[in-house]
Amino acid sequence: MAQQVREIMTSAPVSVGALTAVSEVAHRMRDEDIGAVLVTEGDRLRGLVTDRDLVIRVLAEEKDPGDTTVQEACSPEIVTVGPGDEVGRAVQLMREHALRRLPVVEGDRAVGMVALADLAMERDPSSALGDISAAAPNR
């Protein structure tokens, strides 16, 4: 039987409301050592914001991180996968759309996140990416 996304996803991903200031999101990313945060409206997934989005859409545009909302910085068109989908489907979507992270959703509600690192550690833990992904972060 093929492995399902729910077996490798990170449960309870970090999410923020669409009107949250980018500066607050950056602090959450730093404090929780993550590179992506889900943008929600109530329980509905509305977008995904990455550390790269903050650099490209806020800092490089010389916007004020305290006055810019995450809604202005996030990627509004997101590709998702379901928890019951096969891991191969997640790999296919990530490859097809050149993604490093995929929100895992049930209906409109985010229930997890699958990252390239999760796939590397699961599929080939002895690979360079798997080995790097398993290492503790340096701070």
Side-chain angles (χ1 to χ4, degrees):
M1 183 173 181
Q3 191 174 31
Q4 294 183 334
V5 168
R6 72 172 40 92
E7 297 173 55
I8 66 164
M9 72 181 193
T10 299
S11 299
V14 174
S15 64
V16 296
L19 300 179
T20 304
V22 164
S23 57
E24 183 179 329
V25 172
H27 287 112
R28 294 274 309 268
M29 287 179 170
R30 178 199 61 204
D31 295 346
E32 301 195 33
D33 194 32
I34 55 176
V37 173
L38 299 175
V39 179
T40 58
E41 187 176 298
D43 281 345
R44 289 184 66 136
L45 180 62
R46 293 295 186 195
L48 172 73
V49 67
T50 67
D51 44 10
R52 185 172 192 279
D53 291 331
L54 299 184
V55 171
I56 301 295
R57 296 188 180 132
V58 180
L59 297 177
E61 296 295 323
E62 298 183 13
K63 294 179 180 176
D64 182 342
D67 291 335
T68 305
T69 65
V70 72
Q71 178 176 294
E72 298 171 67
C74 76
S75 304
E77 294 184 25
I78 54 176
V79 177
T80 63
V81 68
D85 289 347
E86 293 182 7
V87 169
R89 174 75 177 140
V91 171
Q92 175 192 0
L93 288 170
M94 292 172 95
R95 188 176 286 140
E96 202 174 288
H97 297 279
L99 302 171
R100 291 181 176 92
R101 301 166 183 96
L102 268 179
V104 181
V105 299
E106 283 185 313
D108 289 333
R109 192 173 142 266
V111 296
M113 182 86 77
V114 173
L116 183 59
D118 299 325
L119 295 168
M121 289 187 300
E122 183 60 37
R123 290 246 166 134
D124 192 1
S126 63
S127 71
L129 182 56
D131 191 41
I132 292 166
S133 299
N138 284 334
R139 285 196 178 212

